[in-house]
Amino acid sequence: MQHVRAHVLICAGTGCTASGAAKVEAALREELAKKGLDKEIMVVETGCHGFCEMGPLVIVYPEGTFYVRVQPEDVPELVESHLYKGRIVQRLLYKEPVTHESIPNYNELSFYKKQMRMVLANCGHINPEIIEEYIAVGGYEALGKALTTMTPEQVVDEMKKSGLRGRGGGGFPTGMKWDFTRKAAGDKKYVVCNADEGDPGAFMDRSVLEGDPHRVIEGMAVCGYAIGADEGYIYVRAEYPLAIKRLRIAIKQAEDLGLLGENIFGSGFNFRLKIKEGAGAFVCGEETALLASIEGKRGMPRPRPPFPAISGLWGKPTNINNVETFANVPQIITKGADWYAGIGTEKSKGTKVFALTGRINHTGLAEVPMGITMREIIFDIGGGIPGGKKFKAVQIGGPSGGCLPTELLDLPIDYDSLIQAGAMMGSGGLVVMDETTCMVDLAKFFLTFTQAESCGKCTPCREGTKRMLEILTRITEGEGKETDIALLESMAKNIKTSALCGLGQTAPNPVLSTLRYFRDEYEAHIKEKRCPAGACAKLAGYQITDACKGCGLCTKTCPVAAISGEIKSRHAIDQSVCIKCGACMTKCPFKAIIKG
Ligand SMILES: Cc1cc2nc3c(=O)[nH]c(=O)nc-3n(C[C@H](O)[C@H](O)[C@H](O)COP(=O)(O)O)c2cc1C
Ligand code: SF4
Ligand code: SF4
Ligand code: SF4
Ligand code: FES
C-alpha cells in the first residue's frame, strides 16, 4: 500500500480559482514530481474555506499549516523548505491585521476561532468531486438511517423538533413546511432547492454547492422521502458554473452508487434529481417566480395562497427550501433533533453562515451559532475595520434587510431580534460600513438594485420604488425638499403593505432603517446641503479645520483661488468658488483639510 506522508490541500473554490489556484496546483504537481515526492505527498483539490480574500489558499497536513496568497513562483520554496526539510515558510503565513503576528495553524486564526462550522464542516476539507470522501466523513448515513429506520412521519417530526428555520430569508419553520407538503393531496410531489442566491454580496450557497454538493443532495433526498416525492429540482443561477459542474458530477456519482434512483437502500423509495439553470434575475429567487421559471415560463411571482406546498410545480404539492436549509438536514437526522436544538437561541436554532463584505479586514464566509453578537462577528471574526477607521453600521439581509448602528453591536443575532431592530436575517449578507459611508447613498444603492430587479407586475413596486429612488437621488444631489422624509416614509409603508411579492414588500427596508437610525444624515443633506460622510459627489465639500496653522500652502495650490486667510491664522474655503478638486487636502502638511 502506498504510504502518504503529507496532504497538500489546494482550495479550488471560485475565489481561489479566480486568484490563480489552478496554476499553483500545476506548479506544485510539477515540482513534487521533479523532486520525486509525488508518491508520498498527495495534492487534494477542495472547496472554499470561506477566506477567499486570502486566496489562493494552500494547507499542509498533518500540521495544518495555513498558507495564503500562494503564487506559482512560491512553489519551489514551499516544496523544498516545508515538504522536503520540514521548515515552515514564514513569509507565506497569514498575519493578523491588528497584531501583525504570523499564524501558522489553521485553527489558531482569529477568523476561524469563534466559528462553529457545521454546514461548512466539509468545505475545504474533502474533495467535492469524489463521493467516497463524503461517505468517509459520514455522508449518506442520514439517508440510510431515515430510509431504513424511520417512517416519513418520524422524519418530519424530527425536523419539527430540531427547530430548523429556512435559511433563504423568511425563517419559516422547515419541519412545518415539510408537514404541509406531506399532508397535501396529490399523487405526484416535488422537492425544489432554491440556489438562485441573488443578494448582492452573498455567496454561501455557492460555496456549499461547490465544496460539499452531496450534503445538499442528501438533504433533498431525505426531504423527498419525508414528503412522498420522487423527483427534485435544483434551481441554480447560470453564473455559478463551478457549482453546476460539481452538482452534475455529484448527482451522477450518487446515481452510480444507488444513492439516487430506484429503490434506494432497498427501501422501495425512488428519488431523482435534475438541475435547472436560472438566468440570474433576483426576482426568480422568489419561490413562485422560481417555480414558473422551472416550468419554462417567465419568472414572475403570483399571489399566494395557494402556497407551493399545496400547488407548486405544475400544480403539484412542492416543498421548496434554500441550499443551506437542506445542508442542515443530514446532521439533524444523524445526530438528532435534541442535539441540534441545543445550539442557538430559544427561537432560532443551529448556526447561520454569513458573508462578510464591505469595510472589514476579513472578508469571507463565517458560520456562527445563532445568538452571537454582531460585535463578535465583525471584530473577533472579521478582524475589525481597516485603516483605523470607525465602525458606522452594518447592513444585514441584503437589499431586503436593514442596517444596524453601533448601539446595536451587542444585540444577539437571531431571526426575531433582527426583525425587532428593523432589519432581517435574509440570506446572511453582511455589508460593513465605516465613517466614510453615506447612509442616504447606501439606501439609494440598495433601492437602485431592487428597482432594477422589480419584475413590473404590480404598480406599488414598479412605480413606487422608482419614485422613492428619484427622491433619494435628489437628496444626495442637494435638491432635497423639507417634505421628502415624510414622503419617503409614507411611500415606504404603502409599498410594503400593497406589493404583491417579497421583493416589493421589503424593498423600502433599507430606507426605513437608515431613516430610523441615521435621520440626522438625511436632514444634513436636505437642510444644510451637506453630506456628513463626504461621500455624495455633488455635496462633497472641503473644510479647513482647527488644525490649520496658517502656513498658506493651500492658497498657492488652489487652482481657482478659493482659499483665503492671513499667514499664521486659520484659512477658509469659499464654497461658491471651490471646484472640489481636492488638491489642497493633498498638499496640507498638517492634515487640516477634510472632506465633508
Ligand atoms: C425577491 C426574492 C428573492 C429571493 N431569493 C431567494 C434566493 O436567492 N434563495 C433562497 O433560498 N430564497 C430566496 N427567496 C425566498 C424564497 O421565496 C423562499 O422563501 C425560500 O426559498 C424558502 O426556503 P427556506 O424555507 O429554506 O428559506 C427570495 C424571496 C424573494 C421575495
Ligand atoms: S412586488 Fe415587484 S417584483 Fe414582486 S410582483 Fe410586484 S412588481 Fe414584481
Ligand atoms: S495648507 Fe493646511 S495648515 Fe496650511 S493654511 Fe492651508 S489648511 Fe492651513
Ligand atoms: S478643493 Fe480644489 S478648488 Fe477647492 S479649495 Fe481645495 S484646491 Fe481649491
Ligand atoms: S474560494 Fe478559496 S477560500 Fe473561498
Side-chain angles (χ1 to χ4, degrees):
M1 201 179 102
Q2 184 188 330
H3 174 70
V4 176
R5 122 176 122 74
H7 285 85
V8 182
L9 273 52
I10 297 200
C11 179
T14 292
C16 289
T17 302
S19 50
K23 285 187 182 147
V24 176
E25 183 181 345
L28 186 64
R29 289 190 189 279
E30 195 186 319
E31 191 68 18
L32 287 174
K34 219 162 59 184
K35 288 243 177 333
L37 295 172
D38 50 339
K39 301 278 179 297
E40 55 189 279
I41 291 168
M42 189 183 273
V43 178
V44 182
E45 270 186 26
T46 71
C48 173
H49 295 261
F51 213 11
C52 320
E53 183 205 351
M54 288 288 145
L57 299 183
V58 172
I59 306 173
V60 182
Y61 280 105
E63 306 90 310
T65 310
F66 192 78
Y67 290 120
V68 299
R69 295 195 174 140
V70 181
Q71 294 301 309
E73 47 278 21
D74 298 322
V75 167
E77 187 185 349
L78 201 146
V79 171
E80 174 70 19
S81 178
H82 190 143
L83 300 171
Y84 205 68
K85 297 180 180 157
R87 285 188 211 137
I88 288 174
V89 183
Q90 295 290 333
R91 67 178 184 86
L92 293 178
L93 295 178
Y94 174 71
K95 287 177 191 58
E96 289 289 355
V98 181
T99 59
H100 302 291
E101 192 191 345
S102 294
I103 310 292
N105 200 285
Y106 192 66
N107 300 318
E108 293 302 312
L109 265 74
S110 58
F111 181 69
Y112 291 110
K113 264 192 200 161
K114 278 205 172 173
Q115 290 198 42
M116 189 183 267
R117 290 170 80 87
M118 291 176 11
V119 164
L120 301 177
N122 297 335
C123 286
H125 295 281
I126 62 166
N127 185 330
E129 297 190 8
I130 301 177
I131 190 169
E132 288 78 9
E133 294 211 8
Y134 180 64
I135 293 172
V137 292
Y140 289 105
E141 248 177 60
L143 184 61
K145 181 177 172 186
L147 264 51
T148 58
T149 69
M150 296 168 85
T151 63
E153 293 81 357
Q154 283 172 329
V155 174
V156 170
D157 283 348
E158 199 68 2
M159 292 304 296
K160 278 185 175 170
K161 236 168 64 180
S162 73
L164 174 67
R165 294 170 68 171
R167 302 297 194 238
F172 191 81
T174 306
M176 211 188 277
K177 199 190 264 190
W178 288 22
D179 204 21
F180 290 148
T181 325
R182 195 183 72 77
K183 288 182 178 151
D187 48 342
K188 173 89 184 169
K189 294 179 185 179
Y190 292 99
V191 176
V192 172
C193 175
N194 189 341
D196 193 51
E197 196 161 61
D199 281 11
F203 62 106
M204 55 286 282
D205 293 349
R206 188 192 78 202
S207 274
V208 172
L209 293 175
E210 285 178 3
D212 200 8
H214 286 286
R215 181 186 285 265
V216 180
I217 293 172
E218 188 178 6
M220 290 183 75
V222 171
C223 175
Y225 173 69
I227 67 165
D230 64 355
E231 205 176 337
Y233 282 85
I234 307 176
Y235 187 90
V236 201
R237 51 176 44 230
E239 294 99 321
Y240 284 0
L242 190 59
I244 293 169
K245 178 189 149 205
R246 294 208 169 132
L247 269 174
R248 286 196 202 290
I249 293 171
I251 291 171
K252 171 83 175 57
Q253 289 175 344
E255 284 171 350
D256 290 348
L257 291 189
L259 296 163
L260 284 178
E262 308 296 307
N263 194 21
I264 303 168
F265 285 110
S267 65
F269 169 63
N270 309 326
F271 193 67
R272 295 219 170 259
L273 273 180
K274 291 182 184 142
I275 296 173
K276 171 79 186 172
E277 291 182 37
F282 179 56
V283 75
C284 282
E286 193 282 334
E287 57 188 24
T288 60
L290 184 149
L291 296 176
S293 176
I294 295 180
E295 290 173 3
K297 299 178 191 143
R298 183 171 167 186
M300 266 189 169
R302 61 153 174 84
R304 296 171 310 170
F307 286 92
I310 306 299
S311 176
L313 208 49
W314 292 292
K316 306 290 180 195
T318 301
N319 182 84
I320 174 162
N321 279 126
N322 164 260
V323 171
E324 196 183 328
T325 312
F326 280 126
N328 268 290
V329 173
Q331 59 187 353
I332 292 173
I333 300 299
T334 42
K335 296 186 183 168
D338 291 339
W339 164 79
Y340 191 82
I343 301 160
T345 64
E346 193 195 337
K347 291 196 178 142
S348 301
K349 302 298 184 188
T351 58
K352 178 74 193 92
V353 184
F354 288 103
L356 313 184
T357 52
R359 310 274 164 80
I360 186 161
N361 275 314
H362 299 156
T363 56
L365 284 188
E367 183 175 357
V368 290
M370 296 280 191
I372 194 168
T373 66
M374 203 47 91
R375 189 185 297 282
E376 289 172 284
I377 299 179
I378 294 170
F379 290 91
D380 298 345
I381 296 172
I385 317 299
K389 297 255 174 11
K390 258 184 24 211
F391 169 85
K392 183 170 189 180
V394 56
Q395 171 79 15
I396 177 162
S400 322
C403 68
L404 301 179
T406 317
E407 305 87 87
L408 292 178
L409 270 175
D410 293 311
L411 180 81
I413 301 302
D414 69 17
Y415 286 102
D416 311 295
S417 65
L418 287 174
I419 296 282
Q420 270 166 25
M424 66 186 277
M425 187 87 74
S427 59
L430 286 186
V431 186
V432 179
M433 274 85 66
D434 68 18
E435 57 200 286
T436 64
T437 310
C438 166
M439 301 311 281
V440 187
D441 195 45
L442 177 95
K444 190 176 93 179
F445 168 82
F446 282 114
L447 199 66
T448 305
F449 175 82
T450 33
Q451 206 284 315
E453 295 291 332
S454 163
C455 80
K457 186 169 178 170
C458 64
T459 318
C461 170
R462 185 186 65 238
E463 296 301 324
T465 55
K466 205 179 273 177
R467 299 289 89 85
M468 283 183 76
L469 189 55
E470 283 167 5
I471 298 171
L472 287 177
T473 305
R474 72 168 179 250
I475 294 176
T476 55
E477 291 181 350
E479 308 290 331
K481 302 177 193 158
E482 296 268 343
T483 49
D484 277 348
I485 293 182
L487 188 56
L488 277 174
E489 278 173 333
S490 96
M491 287 184 78
K493 280 177 193 143
N494 284 332
I495 296 170
K496 273 173 82 73
T497 48
S498 57
L500 174 63
C501 85
L503 190 151
Q505 288 155 8
T506 59
N509 283 355
V511 179
L512 287 176
S513 75
T514 45
L515 271 171
R516 178 167 168 183
Y517 297 115
F518 297 95
R519 201 179 191 89
D520 54 333
E521 287 203 20
Y522 281 83
E523 283 167 353
H525 282 74
I526 295 169
K527 294 182 186 155
E528 300 164 37
K529 309 294 174 208
R530 182 174 68 84
C531 171
C536 294
K538 294 217 172 150
L539 292 180
Y542 290 84
Q543 317 282 339
I544 296 181
T545 66
D546 285 347
C548 173
K549 304 275 184 232
C551 70
L553 207 57
C554 57
T555 325
K556 293 185 195 119
T557 309
C558 180
V560 290
I563 308 176
S564 58
E566 299 294 318
I567 288 298
K568 290 197 179 164
S569 66
R570 182 172 163 173
H571 282 43
I573 296 174
D574 182 343
Q575 298 296 338
S576 63
V577 180
C578 170
I579 54 165
K580 302 178 173 80
C581 69
C584 53
M585 189 165 113
T586 322
K587 262 287 186 308
C588 175
F590 303 99
K591 297 199 178 353
I593 304 181
I594 57 161
K595 217 173 159 193

